[in-house]
Amino acid sequence: MTIKRTDFPDNFIFGVATSSYQIEGATNEDGRGDSIWDTFCREPGRIQDGTGGDVACDHYHLWPQDLDLIQSLGVDAYRFSVAWPRIQPDGKGPVNQKGLDFYERLVDGMLERGLQPYLTLYHWDLPQTLQDEGGWVNRETAYRFAEYARVVAERLGGRVRSYATLNEPWCSSILSYQIGEHAPGLQDRRAALAAAHHLLLGHGEAVKVMRDIVPGSSLGIVLNLQPAYPASDREEDVAAARFADGTFNRWFLDPIFRGEYPADIWDAYGEDVPTVQDGDFAATSQPIDFLGVNYYSRSVNGATGNVRPSESSYTHMGWEVYPQGLTDLLVRINHDYTVPPVYITENGAAYPDELEGGRVHDAQRVEYFKAHVQATSDAVQQGVNVAGYFAWSLMDNFEWAFGYSRRFGMVYVDYGNQQRILKDSAKWYQTLVTRQDAGV
Ligand SMILES: OC[C@@H]1[C@@H](O)[C@H](O)[C@@H](O)c2[nH]c(CCc3ccccc3)c[n+]21
C-alpha cells in the first residue's frame, strides 16, 4: 500500500530543508564575514573534492527562482538557516544590515508564496573571529550566540513563527572538535565536550532571550539522533550499543529534557567531562515547543566496532537504509522522555544521480523517501506526536567534507550552469504532498 498524504493528520507539515553555507555562495558579498567553514575549506585535504561554499548553488542570487521551485512542489514549509557571519561579520557587536535585509527579503518571499518559514539560527557557519577566541570551547560564545539570536528575532520576529536554535550540536562538537572531520577540525575530546556543553548553554540562553522578543513563536532545537542496535544479544554487544546510544543520543537528550548528563557516559568520559556551572542545566533544559529530529540511518554496534548488515542496502554515504529505525527512534524518545511535538527536520539519501536526457531517474531515492515517510506514519499511528516531515534536501548542495561529490537533493543542480532539474523523487514528493493519487 503506497503511503498517502491522507495517512497523516490534516495539519501535518510537509517541507524541504537546506542550510545557508551549503546553498548560498556569495561568501564575500554584502558584508558577510568569514565562517569556520570558509577557513576549513581553504585547508588542503579537508574537503574530498577540494571545493568550498564560495558559489555552491548561488542561492544568494537565485533565491526568487528557488522559492518558486519550492512552491511548485506544493510543500507547506521551507526549513532554511541564517548565516551568522552575514548578520554579525565578527560574531559580535556591529550588525550588518545588508545581511538582515537579505533574510527579510527571503522570508517575505516565502510568505508571498504561501510557504511557512522554519528558521534555523545556527547550521555550523560560526564566524571565524569567534573561533579565533576558542569557538564553542569558549563559554563566552554561548552568550554571543544569544545576542545573535536577539538580533535575528528582533528583525524577523513579526514574520517567522518557528525557530530552531541549533542544528545538530553533536556535529558541531563531537564531529568537529573530537573526530575532526568538520570545521574547525580539531581532535580533542575534552575540547569537544566543552563545546557540546556551551552549544547547549547557548541554546538555552537564546531561548530565554527569544521568549520575550517573539512571544507565541515555536522555539526548539534540532538533534541528529541515531538508534543504536546491538549486533547480537551478547553482553559486550549490548554494552557497545548502549554506549553508542549514550554518546550520540542521550548526551544531548538528557541535558535538554532532564537537566542532567547521563551518568554512565559522564563516568566513561572521566577527566574530559565539561565544567558545568550553577544554572547551566536550568538553561539547557528550559521548556521548548518542538524537537527537531534528523534521521538518516541506524548503527549496529559490536564490541569490536560497528557492523554492516549484509542484507541491507546502503546509500552513497555508506549509510544503511533502515526505515524501521526511524519508527523505533520516535517511539523510544516518546517513551523515555517528555517531549514536545516532534518534527522530522531532515531525512533523505545521497545516491550517484545520473542526468539522462534532462531527467534524473533516482528510483532508489524515491524508495528511500516512500519507506521513511511510511515509517513516520507508523510512529504517528503508535501515538507519537509528529508534527511534520522535511526532506533533506530541496536540491543538491555542498555536502561538507564530501564537497559536491554527494547529491542529496530531490532537485538536481547542474553546477556548470546552475540549472535546477526536478528528479523523479521531487515529482513523487509533489504527488504525495499535493494529495494527488500517489500512483507513482
Ligand atoms: O549529510 C547530509 C546532511 C547534511 O547535508 C546536513 O547539513 C546535516 O544537517 C546532516 N546531518 C546528518 C546526520 C549527521 C550524522 C552524523 C554522523 C553520523 C551519522 C549522521 C546528515 N546531514
Side-chain angles (χ1 to χ4, degrees):
M1 184 270 285
T2 301
I3 188 72
K4 297 188 304 298
R5 177 73 184 72
T6 46
D7 293 324
F8 292 88
D10 261 358
N11 60 356
F12 188 90
I13 298 284
F14 279 100
V16 288
T18 65
S19 85
S20 47
Y21 189 76
Q22 294 181 270
I23 67 168
E24 286 179 1
T27 49
N28 294 316
E29 203 157 321
D30 287 344
R32 178 183 179 278
D34 254 4
S35 76
I36 56 175
W37 274 92
D38 298 280
T39 306
F40 195 65
C41 291
R42 287 193 283 264
E43 295 172 6
R46 292 295 201 179
I47 310 300
Q48 194 180 80
D49 60 6
T51 61
D54 314 70
V55 177
C57 306
D58 197 23
H59 178 74
Y60 191 78
H61 301 110
L62 301 176
W63 65 266
Q65 73 173 54
D66 287 336
L67 291 186
D68 289 341
L69 184 61
I70 296 169
Q71 184 184 31
S72 75
L73 296 177
V75 296
D76 308 297
Y78 173 41
R79 176 176 178 245
F80 68 106
S81 81
V82 173
W84 189 349
R86 291 196 190 282
I87 308 303
Q88 291 177 294
D90 294 334
K92 55 189 167 187
V95 172
N96 174 34
Q97 290 305 326
K98 285 186 177 176
L100 279 172
D101 293 347
F102 169 71
Y103 291 104
E104 187 172 52
R105 287 195 303 272
L106 185 69
V107 166
D108 284 344
M110 292 175 216
L111 298 175
E112 286 155 15
R113 293 168 175 82
L115 299 168
Q116 296 175 49
Y118 277 65
L119 186 152
T120 302
L121 284 166
Y122 184 71
H123 200 124
W124 307 354
D125 37 7
L126 182 73
Q128 181 60 44
T129 47
L130 294 182
Q131 184 59 39
D132 296 342
E133 295 162 17
W136 289 107
V137 181
N138 181 347
R139 185 181 171 94
E140 283 302 304
T141 301
Y143 304 107
R144 298 299 81 76
F145 178 66
E147 290 157 12
Y148 156 62
R150 170 184 296 279
V151 170
V152 173
E154 281 173 346
R155 172 67 86 91
L156 300 179
R159 302 169 171 87
V160 176
R161 314 290 300 149
S162 171
Y163 300 81
T165 52
L166 305 174
N167 178 73
E168 302 188 340
W170 183 90
C171 289
S172 301
S173 56
I174 309 304
L175 194 55
S176 302
Y177 286 88
Q178 177 181 346
I179 298 170
E181 282 174 18
H182 280 196
L186 302 178
Q187 292 185 312
D188 175 340
R189 189 172 76 172
R190 180 176 297 187
L193 295 177
H197 188 68
H198 299 147
L199 278 150
L200 292 172
L201 179 64
H203 156 74
E205 294 300 325
V207 169
K208 265 192 245 176
V209 160
M210 295 175 75
R211 281 291 180 219
D212 298 335
I213 300 168
V214 284
S217 288
S218 183
L219 308 182
I221 189 170
V222 173
L223 302 178
N224 59 288
L225 298 177
Q226 191 175 57
Y229 298 75
S232 78
D233 55 10
R234 286 202 311 272
E235 172 47 36
E236 62 269 28
D237 291 349
V238 171
R242 178 142 180 81
F243 183 74
D245 175 59
T247 58
F248 244 107
N249 305 321
R250 291 184 285 117
W251 191 255
F252 297 90
L253 287 165
D254 286 20
I256 294 168
F257 294 113
R258 292 181 179 163
E260 63 185 21
Y261 281 116
D264 59 331
I265 305 301
W266 178 275
D267 293 344
Y269 281 151
E271 291 299 301
D272 289 344
V273 293
T275 302
V276 179
Q277 293 187 15
D278 288 349
D280 285 1
F281 286 134
T284 64
S285 65
Q286 67 185 276
I288 50 178
D289 309 302
F290 71 89
L291 170 65
V293 172
N294 291 355
Y295 176 83
Y296 288 86
S297 185
R298 68 166 173 173
S299 67
V300 179
N301 308 94
T304 55
N306 286 13
V307 169
R308 287 168 57 89
S310 55
E311 68 278 10
S312 292
S313 69
Y314 292 80
T315 71
H316 198 193
M317 299 293 278
W319 297 344
E320 182 187 3
V321 178
Y322 193 71
Q324 184 60 44
L326 176 53
T327 309
D328 293 348
L329 170 68
L330 292 170
V331 169
R332 178 269 174 105
I333 56 178
N334 194 49
H335 176 268
D336 289 1
Y337 298 89
T338 304
V339 288
V342 174
Y343 288 89
I344 309 303
T345 31
E346 287 180 29
N347 175 247
Y351 287 106
D353 297 318
E354 295 288 336
L355 190 56
E356 294 159 334
R359 296 175 63 112
V360 178
H361 300 300
D362 56 337
Q364 289 177 293
R365 189 177 287 105
V366 172
E367 286 315 305
Y368 182 97
F369 279 129
K370 276 183 180 173
H372 287 81
V373 171
Q374 178 65 60
T376 303
S377 175
D378 294 347
V380 171
Q381 300 311 316
Q382 293 181 45
V384 185
N385 182 0
V386 187
Y389 174 95
F390 290 82
W392 184 268
S393 177
L394 161 69
M395 59 183 160
D396 298 333
N397 56 52
F398 179 73
E399 179 48 39
W400 307 113
F402 289 89
Y404 298 97
S405 70
R406 297 298 187 276
R407 292 179 179 269
F408 271 92
M410 45 173 61
V411 175
Y412 184 91
V413 174
D414 180 334
Y415 296 107
N417 57 25
Q418 288 296 355
Q419 290 296 307
R420 278 75 162 135
I421 300 159
L422 268 66
K423 304 177 190 175
D424 288 357
S425 55
K427 296 171 183 172
W428 173 78
Y429 201 54
Q430 199 174 39
T431 61
L432 171 78
V433 301
T434 54
R435 292 179 172 74
Q436 298 165 43
D437 280 341
V440 176

